[in-house]
Amino acid sequence: MTDFFQLVFSGMATGSIYALAALGFTLLWQASGTINFAQGEFVMLPAFVMLAFATFGAPMPVAFALTCVVAVAILGWAFKRGIADPLLRFGLMPIVVATIGLAIAARNGIRAGYSAEAHPFPSLFADKLFNIAGVTITLADVGTLVFALLLVVGTQAFLARTVTGRAMQAVAQNTESATVLGINVPRMIFYTFAINAVLACAAALLVTPTYLAKFDMGESLGTKAFFAAIIGGFNNSRGALLGGIIVGVSENLAAAYISPAYKDAVALVIFMVVILFKPQGLLGKKVERKV
Amino acid sequence: MNLFRRTFVTTACALALAGPGLAQAQAIKIAGLYELSGAGATSGTNFKDGVALAVKEINAAGGIMGKQIEHSISDTQSNPGVAKGLTTKAVDDNVIAIMGPVFSGSIMVSMAESRRAEVPNIVGGEAAAITKQGNPYVFRTSFTQETAMPKVARYLANNLKAKNVAVIFVNNDFGKGGRDAITKALTDVGIKVIADISTESGQIDFSAPVLKAKGANADALFAYTNEEESARLLRELRKQGYNKPVVGETTLTGQKVIELAGDSANGAVGHVGLTVDAPNPLMLKFKAKFYQEYKYFCDHNGIKGYTGVYMLKAAIEKAGKLDRKAIATALHGLKLTAAKTPGVILDVAIDDKGDLDRESYLVEVKGGKQEVKEVLPALGQK
Amino acid sequence: MKKTPLLIAALVLLLLLAVPPFLKNYGIYLFSYWLVFVIATMGLNLTIGYAGQKSLRHAAFFGIGAYTVAILMKAGFSFWFGLPVAMLGCFVIGLALGAPALRVQTIYLAFATLGFNTAVWLVMRNEEWLTGGTFGINNIARPGLLGLSLNAALPYYYFVLAMTVLLGALLWKLLSSPWGKAFRALRDNPIRAESLGVNIQAYTLLSFAIGAVYAGIAGALFASLVEFIEPAPFAVGTSIMMYLMVVVGGAGYFFGPLLGSAVGVLLPEWLRFAQGWYLFAFGTAVVMLMLWLPDGLLSIPDRLKARRHAREASAARTAAASKVGAQT
């Protein structure tokens, strides 16, 4: 039994990592209809930027703050102005392909420009182990889970309780009406991109100690994030967290009880089932098809 | 639009035709096929940097037989389809030898092409199948898994007195080949493999494999994954309080793994063919040179690339002429000592199948450093 | 206007026939590789360009075609037996797995197909007894045609070229027929199409199935071209690349795949002078291309036309306005 709990707890910790990447992805889709195939790279880039700042001697909190600023400027503003705005009115295909190109460029730019090696990344949490009823958990596991929860709940609260957040939701639901109501739509969309950038930085800070900073860390992280977002609910922020945890836990359980070689398949099966029977995700709301 | 592109391609190809003809008289051309992107990027980049360093050194010292080496670098994208094309291109370009690739899939393809064209192909792969195809033009730069694993098995049987072993391996051709080789080697010394646990390349969470290993309650654990995964595995082993011996290969106890796993790496034992931390003055010199040039410590692939070029140089000098067939013949049965050919760093002998025989080390990680417990002599030396 | 595409097609064909004998083996290999992808992306273009579906699993059918032919050839059957089997297999699986498309739309469909691709790749990698797993299948022979050996580079290239032309012609016929109109209706306005009596379920499934068959054929040709296959080229990454090729070339344009595959296969070659940065340059080039031409490269003539019309229209307006002004 303890084995089972060990797997579940580890899975939840890994899952919260996927959730963080999924969260920004969901937000971007909700608010502006942008499908960002470079979401994984959006987490990878801040990780390397933080490493770069750290090599120049900045302590971690300072590096993090600086990276957030850089991220908002580049992954937020420049991404929006340069890629999302011009392409969104042409439908989904151009933006999908553009973000694919962006992912390739980011991945190989870091590989050629920085290094092809994996780099260790300092963890926020001390290296402590807890043993509860035979289940071993690290401080990092708990910490990541707690932070992820806080970020998700915080984002949800921001969107539901503040005026700006509500304005952003209005823009997501019906852009024309929002404009008519006097909401500064472009600015609201920019805020979404900015929040995505900051969430990606936070994800990088929490994720990279385990993932290790490597130019291709974005690939698998991005794919898992997509699955997590869809399973949980593509138009619901809490869904991202649920989806992430489901993916993380099911992978572990599958690896232990079914077959390690097919462990990815379980997340896939859940994903397919959700897509076929509840495409809006487990926590999502149904979206009507427009004629 | 189409016309333009077609003309472009034709012109480009025409230039490609003309180019090699001009350069041949002057230089010794070596084509480098490396995984510079995709799954093999880290290994390929290390290998390429090793080759480039050797080429630079040799050229600075006057080249081979007075001629400078021209080293062209191409990216196979860890894709055998691309590797095949690049090998064809190298053959078209009339190169003397082909260095790389590192990944077995790409090697299978490149060595078939290079055999057809009768061009020596010095590869960085470790899969056993490479030298089993009767190809007289393929040469290794490291042990085959079939040579390495019996040494590990012997350590497990004699030193650790293990009666059964759990095996964790990574599910790619490297890991699977290693798993097959160790299973056979263990059976040969009478040890049973009671757990056979596969993991994914790039896997993050190792709680399931470690739980399985714990559950199997074997006398020891043999771990055969790539560097980053080894680091994560070691961390999980420590986290779950695994107290049996953990034994592996170069990819378990390498400097990179120690860097990434921190304290969790302590206690791991590995059979290491090539490590920059070997207690060998030439090796340490190489480590420093490499770091100075590229600002990072290379893994075993860097050493493979570097020594590979020097092996080629020695063979060319032995053959006395730039004839590919003669060079291949010279490579077979070549014995090089580090004293006379410092570029190979360790004494090496190449057999008629293209396999290598070298000394190797049994290493334990202590206090964040690799400590050599035992030097295992080359099989031919006894 | 119909003449120009035919003229261009004839010119391209001429070049494709005439140039390769002057190229060395590498050039011929590259051209063959490019044409294999042209076939695959023609199928994808049908599915996503003409029928407006989303598919990120094309590489799976590419792989199924390749492995079917390779396994059958290893078992002693001829390539010419393996090819129809591969085609049939892809058609049936494509039909069966078009089912999700009936229930979900756009981005969800895209991810469902992505999931399928990963599942197929997992099977390819794990079922060693069937596919050789990560060790792959080696020494795949090239077929013989009517007694002629297609072993060497140039004959095999002409064989692939012939297949490409044949399949292209078939696709052209399909698209000019009422079926083609049905596909376009499916893309532009499915609900209205249904109201007009078009069986959108059948056409959706067909667009996937036919696309899959093209990928399967391309896969079979790929297996014999490279003479070695392993799971890696059939993973999601390749599907994404194929999608990129279709969109960059121009989704819904007949010659889109030709250009798009050229961008995907030949452009990285041309960028090799950038050394380690060539893929970075490629990625950036793709982004730039999308920003400049979101409808793909083949939308250039349409854009020029549109610009000309706009200019004429504004000139007409100014003329009319001045007339009005003169009157008052």
Side-chain angles (χ1 to χ4, degrees), chain A residues 116-161:
Chain A
E117 305 273 304
H119 293 265
F121 193 87
S123 172
L124 267 183
F125 311 102
D127 205 8
K128 267 205 169 103
L129 294 167
F130 300 115
N131 201 307
I132 305 175
V135 177
T136 325
I137 322 177
T138 60
L139 185 58
D141 285 345
V142 176
T144 316
L145 196 55
V146 168
F147 262 83
L149 207 70
L150 283 174
L151 280 168
V152 169
V153 169
T155 314
Q156 195 82 6
F158 173 74
L159 286 175
R161 308 262 175 91

Coordinates of all heavy atoms in Angstrom, one line a residue, chain A residues 116-161:
Chain A
A116 N 25.0 22.3 -25.6 CA 24.2 21.1 -25.8 C 24.1 20.3 -24.6 O 23.4 19.3 -24.6 CB 24.7 20.3 -27.0
E117 N 24.7 20.7 -23.5 CA 24.8 19.9 -22.3 C 23.6 20.2 -21.4 O 23.0 21.3 -21.5 CB 26.1 20.3 -21.5 CG 27.3 20.1 -22.3 CD 27.8 18.7 -22.2 OE1 28.0 18.2 -21.1 OE2 28.0 18.1 -23.2
A118 N 23.4 19.4 -20.4 CA 22.4 19.6 -19.3 C 23.2 20.4 -18.2 O 24.3 20.1 -17.9 CB 21.9 18.3 -18.8
H119 N 22.5 21.3 -17.6 CA 23.1 22.1 -16.5 C 22.3 21.9 -15.2 O 21.1 21.9 -15.3 CB 23.2 23.6 -16.9 CG 24.1 23.9 -18.0 ND1 25.4 24.3 -17.8 CD2 23.9 23.8 -19.3 CE1 25.9 24.5 -19.0 NE2 25.1 24.2 -19.9
P120 N 23.0 21.8 -14.1 CA 22.2 21.7 -12.9 C 21.7 23.1 -12.6 O 22.2 24.1 -13.0 CB 23.3 21.4 -11.8 CG 24.6 21.8 -12.4 CD 24.5 21.7 -13.9
F121 N 20.6 23.1 -11.8 CA 19.9 24.3 -11.5 C 19.6 24.3 -10.0 O 19.1 23.3 -9.5 CB 18.6 24.4 -12.3 CG 17.9 25.7 -12.4 CD1 18.2 26.6 -13.3 CD2 16.9 26.0 -11.4 CE1 17.6 27.9 -13.4 CE2 16.3 27.2 -11.5 CZ 16.6 28.2 -12.4
P122 N 19.9 25.4 -9.3 CA 19.7 25.4 -7.9 C 18.3 25.3 -7.5 O 17.4 25.9 -8.2 CB 20.3 26.7 -7.5 CG 20.3 27.6 -8.7 CD 20.4 26.7 -9.8
S123 N 18.0 24.6 -6.5 CA 16.6 24.4 -6.1 C 16.2 25.4 -5.0 O 17.1 25.8 -4.2 CB 16.4 23.0 -5.5 OG 15.1 22.9 -5.0
L124 N 15.0 25.8 -5.1 CA 14.5 26.8 -4.1 C 14.5 26.1 -2.7 O 14.6 26.8 -1.7 CB 13.0 27.1 -4.4 CG 12.7 28.4 -5.2 CD1 11.2 28.5 -5.3 CD2 13.3 29.6 -4.6
F125 N 14.3 24.8 -2.7 CA 14.1 24.1 -1.4 C 15.3 23.4 -1.0 O 16.1 22.8 -1.8 CB 12.9 23.2 -1.6 CG 11.7 23.8 -2.2 CD1 11.4 23.6 -3.5 CD2 10.9 24.6 -1.5 CE1 10.3 24.1 -4.1 CE2 9.8 25.2 -2.0 CZ 9.5 25.0 -3.4
A126 N 15.5 23.3 0.3 CA 16.7 22.6 0.8 C 16.4 21.1 0.6 O 15.3 20.6 0.4 CB 16.8 22.8 2.3
D127 N 17.5 20.3 0.6 CA 17.5 18.9 0.2 C 17.0 18.1 1.4 O 17.8 17.4 2.1 CB 18.9 18.5 -0.2 CG 18.8 17.3 -1.1 OD1 17.7 16.9 -1.5 OD2 19.9 16.8 -1.4
K128 N 15.7 18.2 1.8 CA 15.3 17.5 3.0 C 14.3 16.4 2.6 O 13.6 16.5 1.7 CB 14.5 18.5 3.9 CG 15.3 19.2 4.9 CD 14.3 19.5 6.0 CE 15.0 20.0 7.2 NZ 15.1 21.3 7.6
L129 N 14.4 15.3 3.4 CA 13.5 14.2 3.1 C 12.6 14.0 4.3 O 12.9 14.2 5.4 CB 14.3 12.9 3.0 CG 15.2 12.8 1.7 CD1 16.1 11.6 1.9 CD2 14.4 12.6 0.5
F130 N 11.3 13.7 4.0 CA 10.4 13.4 5.0 C 9.9 12.0 4.9 O 9.7 11.5 3.7 CB 9.1 14.3 5.0 CG 9.4 15.7 5.1 CD1 9.2 16.6 4.1 CD2 9.9 16.3 6.3 CE1 9.4 18.0 4.2 CE2 10.2 17.6 6.4 CZ 9.9 18.5 5.3
N131 N 9.7 11.3 5.9 CA 9.2 9.9 5.8 C 7.9 9.8 6.6 O 7.9 9.9 7.8 CB 10.3 9.0 6.4 CG 10.0 7.6 5.8 OD1 8.9 7.1 5.9 ND2 11.0 7.0 5.3
I132 N 6.8 9.8 5.9 CA 5.5 9.7 6.5 C 4.9 8.4 6.3 O 4.5 8.1 5.1 CB 4.6 10.8 6.0 CG1 5.3 12.2 6.1 CG2 3.3 10.8 6.7 CD1 4.5 13.3 5.5
A133 N 4.8 7.6 7.3 CA 4.1 6.2 7.2 C 4.7 5.4 6.1 O 4.0 4.8 5.3 CB 2.6 6.4 7.0
G134 N 6.1 5.5 6.0 CA 6.7 4.6 5.0 C 6.8 5.3 3.6 O 7.4 4.7 2.7
V135 N 6.2 6.4 3.4 CA 6.3 7.1 2.1 C 7.4 8.2 2.2 O 7.3 9.0 3.1 CB 4.9 7.7 1.8 CG1 5.0 8.4 0.5 CG2 3.9 6.6 1.7
T136 N 8.3 8.2 1.3 CA 9.3 9.3 1.4 C 9.0 10.4 0.4 O 8.7 10.2 -0.7 CB 10.7 8.7 0.9 OG1 10.8 7.3 1.3 CG2 11.8 9.5 1.5
I137 N 9.0 11.6 1.0 CA 8.7 12.8 0.2 C 9.8 13.8 0.4 O 10.4 13.9 1.5 CB 7.4 13.5 0.6 CG1 6.3 12.5 0.9 CG2 6.9 14.4 -0.5 CD1 5.1 13.1 1.4
T138 N 10.2 14.5 -0.7 CA 11.2 15.5 -0.5 C 10.5 16.8 -0.3 O 9.4 17.0 -0.6 CB 12.1 15.7 -1.7 OG1 11.3 16.0 -2.8 CG2 12.9 14.4 -2.0
L139 N 11.2 17.8 0.3 CA 10.7 19.1 0.6 C 10.4 19.7 -0.8 O 9.4 20.4 -0.9 CB 11.8 19.9 1.3 CG 11.3 21.3 1.7 CD1 10.1 21.3 2.6 CD2 12.4 22.1 2.4
A140 N 11.2 19.4 -1.8 CA 10.9 20.0 -3.1 C 9.6 19.5 -3.6 O 8.9 20.3 -4.3 CB 12.1 19.6 -4.0
D141 N 9.3 18.2 -3.5 CA 8.0 17.7 -3.9 C 6.8 18.5 -3.4 O 6.0 19.0 -4.1 CB 7.8 16.2 -3.5 CG 8.6 15.3 -4.3 OD1 9.1 15.7 -5.3 OD2 8.8 14.1 -3.8
V142 N 6.8 18.6 -2.0 CA 5.8 19.3 -1.3 C 5.8 20.8 -1.8 O 4.7 21.4 -2.1 CB 6.0 19.3 0.2 CG1 4.9 20.1 0.9 CG2 5.9 17.8 0.6
G143 N 6.9 21.4 -1.8 CA 7.0 22.8 -2.1 C 6.5 23.1 -3.5 O 5.7 24.0 -3.7
T144 N 6.9 22.2 -4.5 CA 6.4 22.5 -5.9 C 4.9 22.4 -5.9 O 4.2 23.2 -6.6 CB 7.0 21.4 -6.8 OG1 8.4 21.2 -6.5 CG2 6.8 21.8 -8.3
L145 N 4.4 21.3 -5.3 CA 2.9 21.2 -5.3 C 2.2 22.4 -4.7 O 1.3 22.9 -5.2 CB 2.6 19.9 -4.5 CG 1.2 19.3 -4.6 CD1 0.9 19.1 -6.1 CD2 1.0 18.0 -3.8
V146 N 2.7 22.8 -3.5 CA 2.1 23.9 -2.8 C 2.2 25.2 -3.7 O 1.2 25.9 -3.9 CB 2.8 24.2 -1.5 CG1 2.4 25.5 -0.9 CG2 2.5 23.1 -0.5
F147 N 3.3 25.5 -4.3 CA 3.5 26.6 -5.1 C 2.6 26.6 -6.3 O 2.0 27.6 -6.7 CB 5.0 26.8 -5.6 CG 5.8 27.7 -4.8 CD1 6.3 27.3 -3.6 CD2 5.9 29.0 -5.1 CE1 7.1 28.1 -2.8 CE2 6.7 29.9 -4.4 CZ 7.2 29.5 -3.2
A148 N 2.5 25.4 -6.9 CA 1.7 25.3 -8.1 C 0.2 25.6 -7.7 O -0.5 26.3 -8.4 CB 1.8 23.9 -8.7
L149 N -0.2 25.0 -6.6 CA -1.6 25.2 -6.1 C -1.8 26.7 -5.9 O -2.8 27.3 -6.4 CB -1.7 24.5 -4.8 CG -3.2 24.1 -4.5 CD1 -3.6 23.0 -5.4 CD2 -3.2 23.6 -3.0
L150 N -0.8 27.4 -5.2 CA -1.0 28.8 -5.0 C -1.1 29.6 -6.3 O -1.9 30.5 -6.4 CB 0.3 29.3 -4.2 CG 0.3 29.0 -2.7 CD1 1.6 29.4 -2.1 CD2 -0.9 29.7 -2.0
L151 N -0.2 29.2 -7.2 CA -0.2 30.0 -8.5 C -1.6 29.8 -9.2 O -2.1 30.8 -9.7 CB 0.9 29.5 -9.4 CG 2.3 30.1 -9.1 CD1 3.3 29.3 -9.8 CD2 2.3 31.5 -9.4
V152 N -2.1 28.6 -9.2 CA -3.3 28.3 -9.9 C -4.5 29.1 -9.2 O -5.3 29.8 -9.9 CB -3.6 26.8 -10.0 CG1 -5.1 26.6 -10.4 CG2 -2.7 26.1 -10.9
V153 N -4.5 28.9 -7.9 CA -5.6 29.5 -7.2 C -5.5 31.1 -7.3 O -6.5 31.8 -7.5 CB -5.6 29.1 -5.7 CG1 -6.5 30.0 -4.8 CG2 -6.0 27.7 -5.5
G154 N -4.2 31.5 -7.2 CA -4.0 33.0 -7.4 C -4.5 33.5 -8.7 O -5.2 34.5 -8.8
T155 N -4.1 32.8 -9.8 CA -4.6 33.2 -11.1 C -6.1 33.2 -11.2 O -6.7 34.1 -11.7 CB -4.0 32.2 -12.2 OG1 -2.6 32.0 -11.9 CG2 -4.1 32.8 -13.6
Q156 N -6.7 32.1 -10.7 CA -8.1 32.0 -10.7 C -8.8 33.2 -10.0 O -9.7 33.8 -10.5 CB -8.5 30.7 -10.0 CG -10.0 30.3 -10.3 CD -10.1 29.6 -11.6 OE1 -9.1 29.3 -12.3 NE2 -11.3 29.3 -12.0
A157 N -8.2 33.5 -8.8 CA -8.8 34.6 -8.0 C -8.6 35.9 -8.8 O -9.5 36.7 -8.8 CB -8.1 34.6 -6.7
F158 N -7.4 36.1 -9.3 CA -7.2 37.3 -10.1 C -8.2 37.5 -11.2 O -8.8 38.6 -11.4 CB -5.8 37.3 -10.7 CG -5.5 38.4 -11.6 CD1 -5.2 39.7 -11.1 CD2 -5.4 38.2 -13.0 CE1 -5.0 40.8 -12.0 CE2 -5.2 39.3 -13.8 CZ -4.9 40.5 -13.3
L159 N -8.5 36.4 -11.9 CA -9.4 36.5 -13.1 C -10.8 36.7 -12.6 O -11.6 37.4 -13.3 CB -9.3 35.2 -13.9 CG -8.1 35.0 -14.8 CD1 -8.0 33.7 -15.4 CD2 -8.0 36.1 -15.8
A160 N -11.2 36.1 -11.5 CA -12.6 36.2 -11.1 C -12.9 37.4 -10.2 O -14.0 37.9 -10.2 CB -13.0 34.9 -10.3
R161 N -11.9 37.9 -9.4 CA -12.2 38.8 -8.4 C -11.8 40.3 -8.7 O -12.4 41.2 -8.3 CB -11.6 38.5 -7.0 CG -11.9 37.1 -6.6 CD -13.0 37.0 -5.6 NE -13.3 35.6 -5.3 CZ -12.8 34.9 -4.3 NH1 -11.9 35.5 -3.5 NH2 -13.1 33.7 -4.2

